[in-house]
Amino acid sequence: MDGGQVGVNDISAPSFTDDLWLQIFSHLPVKPLFKFMCVSKTWSTLISDYCNRARVLESLTGFFYQLVEFDENDDLERIEYKYVCSSNETLSVNNKKNRSIDLSLDFLPELPHFAILHSCSGLLLCLSVESNGPVYYVCNPLLKTWVALPKPCTGDTIDDAEARLTYDPNTTHFRVILCSGDVYRDYGRTVIQIFSSDTGNWLETKVAHGPNRLIYPYSGCPVLHNEALYYLLFPSHVMRVDFLEGNYGVIELPIIQEEVPSAGMLYECEGHLYYMRGHTFYHLDPLRFQVWMLTDWNTKEWIMKHDICSETLYEKISAADSCCLRADKECFQPLGFAADLNVIFLREHCKIHYCDLVNLKAENAPVSSYSLKNESTIRNFFQITLLLILIQGEGLCSRQVDRPCLVSRKESGKD
Amino acid sequence: MSESTEKKMVRLRSSDGEVFEVEESVAKVAKTLQDMLEEDCADAVIPITCVRAPILTKVIDYCKDQVMISSSSSTTNNPNERTEQERKAWGQKFMEGVDSSTLCELLVASNFLNIEGLLNLGVDKMVSMIQGKYPQEIRDMFNVVNDFTPEEEEEIRNQNAWAFERDPYYKKRSSSK
């Protein structure tokens, strides 16, 4: 970033160093920051440079929650998704001030039985059940663009399919994976369907995962990594389907999944596969929250990354939040885990607590709480989607606008 | 811990030649000066080349206040001790009536002298001053020349269109039915 000072410093007062500008930018909310990109070329470079360096990513981490309002007049449920930007004091390494950004989903058309299923690097995967069947949507809440996916090849098996979105902002293409056990017709087989925004088509693969292993509805946690798909088989295996080599195989999990099959979770982070066991978290006492990392598929070696007693978590939470009802541990419900940030989310009645597991041992453990506005309107079933937004200067924005697959509403509709 | 039996004085010279005499403890609020004083490389008069006298006066006011707080807070139950709220109010009052050009100079001074608290106050003030402004107002404020062609500017605007929209910028879904 040479020459970055010249234009910016055409200022009547003594000159600001880049350093000073960066200080100011780091305190600006995202909106004006991006607005000021068109002030001049130097401002544009300086701001993109700042965005790249400061990793605006973390400061925009947040989650969606589903709010259900019950209309007593017509006995209808109205479901609304709200976005909460997590406090950056907790989630950001940079300790930046809170940035406000509007991520309402109002830009989407009216979709019947709308639900958010998954998110990846700032894109959301949504489902709407329309009269002629379910339709998957991928949208970008930041850029307010969306696209409807064509129907999957095997329409009737997607009822219990678990849908996942993978998106690498560097390749500009996203993929949607549907993974389901073909329980009714092909017991012992997994039906995998993958949509690629590159080709615009679904591809179906059927894999025999053998007897005594089950892929439970909504609990396979399919993860696509390096052209291989990984998913959980109940009770104790991970399946890998390698699309490049055309083979597949299983390895054992570090621990057997007990009781509730849907409680374990598989995810990928920075090139490694992780398994999180969380279900006994609120069933047994003392409770444990454990995360393992798979070092190498061939050696089948898992390393324990986190092993946290729920007591510790509750203590940290109640220390940070005096209104926490610690006496009733039953009320704590694990909601999700942001792998790349090592942050766990828990719900306690009308509150969402989140804590940084890496720094949990520190005296002032970073625990934050978010109060949901109206307790009574939130259904017990609680869906949470972690949203990560990557802003990489102009790069990402322009790339996404160019992408033919995500049609901006402005282009398709009015204007 | 340094022995502070008698008050040592330090002299500072502003860019326009005015000399200020302050207690060493006051000068040491500025990390840059603290380093100089500790390494003993400070001359009889320390030149602060990029800071004018009126700005330096304000900076010294700030430092004096910091010294006052830190000396009072060491004793318990001191009435001078401020709560978080009072400190905020004090900071606001300190920055009250500071216009944009003074603010710029204050920022440069606190950045150069490395006074974190004052820099934060200044940055906060600057952020609140500029965040609601249009790009053109920013150009006017900082005398920045717009070196984009209209097409280039339009393109950047389009790329970041969401940043230009007003809140709340989309009609409620229910109302568009």
Side-chain angles (χ1 to χ4, degrees):
Chain A
M1 252 289 310
D2 293 321
Q5 298 195 8
V6 186
V8 180
N9 286 325
D10 292 344
I11 193 168
S12 47
S15 51
F16 275 21
T17 54
D18 280 1
D19 201 41
L20 198 46
W21 281 115
L22 293 178
Q23 279 263 7
I24 294 169
F25 292 155
S26 72
H27 284 74
L28 268 178
V30 175
K31 236 173 160 173
L33 193 61
F34 276 67
K35 198 163 66 177
F36 295 162
M37 270 196 170
C38 68
V39 165
S40 76
K41 282 181 182 164
T42 16
W43 275 62
S44 169
T45 332
L46 206 54
I47 292 173
S48 340
D49 193 48
Y50 159 72
C51 291
N52 286 327
R53 236 190 304 174
R55 297 187 65 203
V56 179
L57 162 80
E58 272 106 342
S59 53
L60 279 170
T61 302
F63 48 86
F64 277 96
Y65 69 88
Q66 189 189 38
L67 192 75
V68 184
E69 275 176 48
F70 216 65
D71 195 332
E72 285 174 7
N73 296 327
D74 50 8
D75 216 24
L76 278 177
E77 281 181 347
R78 220 166 55 80
I79 295 173
E80 211 183 320
Y81 283 93
K82 300 240 172 194
Y83 175 77
V84 179
C85 192
S86 327
S87 152
N88 303 302
E89 262 75 54
T90 314
L91 292 181
S92 162
V93 269
N94 296 318
N95 246 3
K96 291 285 142 55
K97 277 200 166 177
N98 215 351
R99 293 162 186 282
S100 54
I101 189 160
D102 178 8
L103 284 172
S104 67
L105 298 177
D106 292 349
F107 65 95
L108 287 171
E110 193 96 23
L111 298 172
H113 305 286
F114 176 81
I116 297 176
L117 300 177
H118 194 220
S119 75
C120 186
S121 300
L123 295 187
L124 289 177
L125 173 65
C126 313
L127 176 72
S128 166
V129 183
E130 285 153 32
S131 54
N132 54 348
V135 179
Y136 291 94
Y137 290 86
V138 172
C139 71
N140 184 329
L142 186 67
L143 297 176
K144 314 254 173 234
T145 55
W146 56 274
V147 65
L149 306 190
K151 295 251 175 220
C153 349
T154 333
D156 48 341
T157 58
I158 65 171
D159 271 356
D160 62 351
E162 196 176 21
R164 290 286 156 130
L165 175 71
T166 58
Y167 169 56
D168 177 1
N170 297 320
T171 64
T172 77
H173 294 295
F174 66 82
R175 281 187 285 189
V176 174
I177 305 138
L178 298 182
C179 192
S180 61
D182 199 351
V183 182
Y184 306 108
R185 283 170 304 173
D186 254 330
Y187 198 76
R189 275 211 215 185
T190 317
V191 181
I192 302 160
Q193 301 182 70
I194 299 180
F195 173 84
S196 165
S197 69
D198 195 5
T199 61
N201 289 322
W202 288 93
L203 263 179
E204 190 185 62
T205 316
K206 288 191 179 183
V207 181
H209 53 64
N212 305 325
R213 294 182 198 126
L214 270 179
I215 173 159
Y216 259 83
Y218 312 110
S219 59
C221 291
V223 169
L224 192 62
H225 174 55
N226 279 347
E227 294 309 309
L229 185 76
Y230 300 81
Y231 57 90
L232 288 174
L233 287 175
F234 187 73
S236 57
H237 288 90
V238 180
M239 177 78 153
R240 179 169 89 154
V241 181
D242 193 324
F243 293 108
L244 282 183
E245 308 216 337
N247 56 22
Y248 57 88
V250 291
I251 64 162
E252 282 191 3
L253 284 171
I255 191 162
I256 292 174
Q257 301 191 70
E258 299 147 53
E259 305 156 49
V260 193
S262 59
M265 196 178 137
L266 208 60
Y267 57 83
E268 184 253 321
C269 179
E270 289 175 352
H272 287 284
L273 196 69
Y274 289 81
Y275 175 67
M276 175 187 107
R277 184 181 78 155
H279 71 281
T280 50
F281 199 31
Y282 55 108
H283 280 298
L284 297 175
D285 207 9
L287 322 163
R288 299 214 85 81
F289 169 78
Q290 294 163 316
V291 176
W292 285 270
M293 184 183 92
L294 181 67
T295 47
D296 182 23
W297 178 265
N298 297 317
T299 61
K300 304 176 182 177
E301 196 186 339
W302 294 88
I303 292 179
M304 184 174 276
K305 296 296 275 187
H306 298 291
D307 182 10
I308 287 148
C309 179
S310 56
E311 283 291 321
T312 319
L313 267 183
Y314 301 149
E315 259 161 41
K316 294 289 181 187
I317 290 171
S318 45
D321 179 12
S322 52
C323 308
C324 163
L325 308 164
R326 198 180 157 264
D328 183 12
K329 273 179 286 183
E330 289 283 311
C331 65
F332 280 98
Q333 178 192 354
L335 290 170
F337 184 65
D340 41 357
L341 302 168
N342 281 308
V343 170
I344 185 170
F345 291 78
L346 298 156
R347 185 196 172 191
E348 180 214 9
H349 293 306
C350 56
K351 265 191 189 152
I352 294 173
H353 303 289
Y354 35 95
C355 8
D356 183 337
L357 294 185
V358 174
N359 299 317
L360 199 66
K361 291 201 178 98
E363 206 168 299
N364 291 315
V367 178
S368 293
S369 300
Y370 170 76
S371 293
L372 306 169
K373 275 193 192 93
N374 197 341
E375 188 182 358
S376 60
T377 57
I378 293 166
R379 199 194 256 168
N380 264 341
F381 161 69
F382 194 91
Q383 183 171 1
I384 183 159
T385 310
L386 302 169
L387 177 79
L388 291 175
I389 292 184
L390 254 178
I391 297 178
Q392 294 180 328
E394 308 143 279
L396 179 72
C397 297
S398 55
R399 269 209 301 274
Q400 289 200 337
V401 171
D402 290 343
R403 181 138 41 96
C405 210
L406 273 186
V407 187
S408 131
R409 198 186 179 196
K410 258 189 194 155
E411 289 160 24
S412 63
K414 58 190 177 184
D415 190 53
Chain B
M1 279 276 127
S2 63
E3 303 156 52
S4 52
T5 40
E6 60 184 57
K7 281 173 184 167
K8 211 176 142 192
M9 300 304 276
V10 173
R11 285 194 291 166
L12 310 172
R13 188 171 57 228
S14 68
S15 62
D16 42 1
E18 204 171 310
V19 176
F20 294 79
E21 198 174 57
V22 295
E23 284 173 26
E24 191 181 30
S25 58
V26 171
K28 277 188 169 176
V29 172
K31 288 247 174 63
T32 310
L33 296 179
Q34 187 188 2
D35 291 347
M36 285 170 84
L37 291 166
E38 271 166 16
E39 284 163 30
D40 225 22
C41 55
D43 293 333
V45 181
I46 305 175
I48 316 286
T49 47
C50 61
V51 184
R52 295 188 304 121
I55 305 298
L56 196 54
T57 313
K58 188 106 181 138
V59 171
I60 291 170
D61 282 351
Y62 176 85
C63 296
K64 276 183 182 160
D65 184 78
Q66 291 300 304
V67 171
M68 207 254 296
I69 307 170
S70 60
S71 62
S72 65
S73 63
S74 55
T75 55
T76 45
N77 285 334
N78 192 302
N80 287 337
E81 202 173 329
R82 290 183 191 145
T83 63
E84 181 70 19
Q85 222 168 9
E86 283 169 332
R87 225 176 26 183
K88 252 188 187 159
W90 184 89
Q92 230 161 33
K93 207 170 161 230
F94 185 80
M95 281 299 180
E96 209 176 63
V98 171
D99 61 25
S100 61
S101 67
T102 310
L103 180 60
C104 288
E105 286 186 79
L106 263 180
L107 277 169
V108 170
S110 50
N111 192 40
F112 171 74
L113 293 168
N114 199 354
I115 310 170
E116 205 189 336
L118 185 59
L119 185 64
N120 286 343
L121 277 179
V123 166
D124 280 352
K125 172 99 179 174
M126 181 58 91
V127 165
S128 69
M129 250 182 195
I130 65 174
Q131 66 175 342
K133 289 200 165 19
Y134 291 103
Q136 187 51 49
E137 292 173 295
I138 296 293
R139 289 180 202 127
D140 295 344
M141 189 170 166
F142 297 108
N143 288 329
V144 179
V145 179
N146 180 9
D147 49 2
F148 284 119
T149 63
E151 291 79 27
E152 283 171 337
E153 191 183 334
E154 187 63 31
E155 201 190 322
I156 291 197
R157 267 174 190 268
N158 286 339
Q159 278 170 8
N160 302 308
W162 58 274
F164 286 89
E165 283 154 353
R166 283 167 186 282
D167 291 317
Y169 41 88
Y170 276 95
K171 274 183 245 156
K172 279 264 164 249
R173 237 195 290 174
S174 50
S175 63
S176 61
K177 240 193 279 192

